[in-house]
Amino acid sequence: MSAPFRPFPSASIAVHKYGGSSVATPELIRKVAARVASCRKDGQKIAVVVSAMGKTTNGLIDLANSVSAHPVGREMDMLLATGEQVSASLLSMALNDLGIPAVSLNAFQIGMMTTETHSSARVRDLDSSRLRRELDERGVVVVTGFQGITASGDLTTLGRGGSDTSAVAIAASLGCPCEIYSDVAGVFAGDPHAVAGAKRLEYVTWEEMLELASLGAKVLHSRAVEIAEKYDVPLYCGATFSEERGTYIVKGLPEWLEQPVVTGVALARGQVRVSLTGVPAETAFGAGLFTALAEQRINLDMIVSTSEENGTAALGFSAASSDVEAICATLKRFPAAGGMTIDDRVAKVSAVGVGMQSASGVAGQFFSALAEAGVTVLSVTTSEIKISVLVPDAEADKAQKALMERFGLVE
């Protein structure tokens, strides 16, 4: 095969991360091995981080649910961590067949220490001594993504997209750049599957990428961006089997590049809107409710509170629809005299761009575009670099398309 594009050609060490679609079959694993071997020929040492093959994780979850109605978190992590070990060992075998003396290592072997929160652990520390030793000796090491270990030695997993986090954490520990490869050719201004002609972005700032990732863009895990920003890790996203140039995630845009007002539009489905009326107007009520929800690890968004004529208040918020059961159980302890409504047929659409900080009239254009498209806005939240709205799920696609067209994000 021809030599692949190297985003950081001067780096002596680089981390490559390959997603599940890139290693979904034995044939694709051999193609990834050939790609890594080609990069290795230039003398660069490579730590390869892999996800589980294809839909393996989904299959393991289904398997667990077939034997247990309520799988224990610790045992789920024990089960799910096997997926990455399979792909890591197979890729190492393929590399050895190509004359690259690679070795596979799991989270325990590289000391990927995490918190004890099963299924959504956070990385605490990483001992890179063995990684460095193996890289010096072999040139290529294949590491399991998505998994870590607690101080007591139990396996944990980092949540969906956690292999991105593993890769960036390893790059931070090694002091080298990180290249994230998947079936998508970089970061787009919107979902290219939903909006034809969505622009591919050559550069995105860490700040923008963090917002886009947290608001529904699926190219890169938000915690991976957090680590990259904290430790100044050079980051690149590209397609595994394409030489089409991808996207650099950077601290600031190059001086020669014009700063767009809006960089991208993110769409997050699977949202729920909760509305309470007739609740006590005292701050203590909201404090108690939000504390109780936080104790259930429920992340809230778009919190709205308004006063009512009778001295009570109306309170609303949004959250992930997967948390509905826990939300309802918690709300039983905080009765609303006027009633409660829950709508799980909503989606969140967000426009993101650091250019908003210095541009006027962005909100006017944002809401004009939605109004002209006939989109119903249910809730609004803003920051210096984003505007997010909650809309009916049936109107989400046209909302995304209208915003991308208004802000010139479609080619």
Side-chain angles (χ1 to χ4, degrees):
M1 64 179 292
S2 59
F5 171 69
R6 293 179 59 193
F8 306 103
S10 62
S12 59
I13 302 175
V15 172
H16 290 194
K17 180 264 176 176
Y18 294 97
S21 61
S22 299
V23 292
T25 66
E27 179 184 4
L28 290 176
I29 288 174
R30 287 192 291 270
K31 289 181 68 175
V32 168
R35 190 182 195 286
V36 173
S38 180
C39 292
R40 174 62 187 143
K41 288 177 182 177
D42 291 334
Q44 191 176 61
K45 299 173 185 176
I46 305 168
V48 184
V49 177
V50 290
S51 299
M53 298 173 64
K55 301 296 183 181
T56 296
T57 300
N58 290 339
L60 292 172
I61 292 172
D62 292 341
L63 184 61
N65 291 330
S66 71
V67 299
S68 172
H70 302 286
V72 177
R74 179 190 182 280
E75 303 310 323
M76 281 296 292
D77 280 356
M78 283 285 286
L79 175 66
L80 297 183
T82 63
E84 280 66 26
Q85 293 190 180
V86 170
S87 50
S89 59
L90 291 176
L91 180 56
S92 182
M93 293 176 193
L95 283 162
N96 275 276
D97 279 358
L98 295 176
I100 305 295
V103 63
S104 63
L105 300 175
N106 61 23
F108 176 79
Q109 292 165 318
I110 66 167
M112 179 73 78
M113 306 302 298
T114 72
T115 59
E116 298 183 2
T117 308
H118 289 290
S119 81
S120 57
R122 299 182 71 89
V123 177
R124 279 183 166 170
D125 197 11
L126 172 63
D127 180 3
S128 62
S129 57
R130 183 170 181 186
L131 262 176
R132 292 180 181 279
R133 188 168 66 250
E134 298 286 3
L135 283 169
D136 287 341
E137 180 179 340
R138 303 170 186 272
V140 175
V141 177
V142 185
V143 183
T144 54
F146 181 60
Q147 61 179 237
I149 56 170
T150 67
S152 57
D154 285 334
L155 277 168
T156 57
T157 59
L158 308 182
R160 289 290 187 177
S163 291
D164 291 347
T165 305
S166 301
V168 178
I170 289 170
S173 180
L174 294 174
C176 71
C178 183
E179 305 169 21
I180 306 290
Y181 293 103
S182 66
D183 56 359
V184 180
V187 179
F188 286 76
D191 184 353
H193 301 297
V195 180
K199 285 185 178 180
R200 186 176 67 256
L201 305 172
E202 189 174 358
Y203 295 92
V204 178
T205 67
W206 285 327
E207 190 177 9
E208 290 169 325
M209 193 67 245
L210 185 57
E211 287 282 10
L212 289 167
S214 64
L215 293 169
K218 296 180 175 61
V219 176
L220 197 57
H221 196 273
S222 60
R223 276 183 285 167
V225 184
E226 289 175 0
I227 295 172
E229 182 175 15
K230 182 176 181 179
Y231 294 100
D232 200 13
V233 176
L235 199 53
Y236 173 85
C237 296
T240 305
F241 304 117
S242 169
E243 295 314 308
E244 192 174 13
R245 181 168 170 148
T247 304
Y248 287 90
I249 318 300
V250 295
K251 181 177 183 179
L253 297 182
E255 292 183 2
W256 53 264
L257 186 65
E258 183 180 357
Q259 172 68 66
V261 174
V262 173
T263 297
V265 176
L267 169 59
R269 298 192 186 273
Q271 303 291 298
V272 61
R273 182 190 183 209
V274 180
S275 301
L276 308 173
T277 57
V279 302
E282 292 81 8
T283 305
F285 177 85
L289 171 59
F290 296 145
T291 298
L293 291 169
E295 289 172 351
Q296 298 299 313
R297 295 167 53 200
I298 298 169
N299 294 320
L300 304 183
D301 192 12
M302 296 194 176
I303 299 172
V304 179
S305 179
T306 56
S307 299
E308 297 177 322
E309 292 182 359
N310 57 3
T312 59
L315 186 63
F317 59 85
S318 64
S321 56
S322 57
D323 290 326
V324 166
E325 187 176 336
I327 290 172
C328 290
T330 303
L331 288 176
K332 289 179 181 178
R333 296 157 47 194
F334 299 86
M340 172 183 72
T341 59
I342 294 181
D343 184 0
D344 61 358
R345 294 170 298 176
V346 296
K348 180 167 59 178
V349 183
S350 309
V352 175
V354 294
M356 290 186 187
Q357 297 175 97
S358 57
S360 60
V362 179
Q365 294 186 60
F366 182 99
F367 289 103
S368 293
L370 295 181
E372 292 169 13
V375 174
T376 305
V377 175
L378 303 173
S379 297
V380 181
T381 186
T382 65
S383 73
E384 288 185 336
I385 68 165
K386 78 168 183 187
I387 303 174
S388 294
V389 292
L390 212 60
V391 303
D393 189 77
E395 299 176 11
D397 286 335
K398 67 178 179 180
Q400 179 181 218
K401 185 173 186 291
L403 291 172
M404 290 180 64
E405 290 178 345
R406 177 58 60 94
F407 291 106
L409 303 178
V410 179
E411 294 179 328

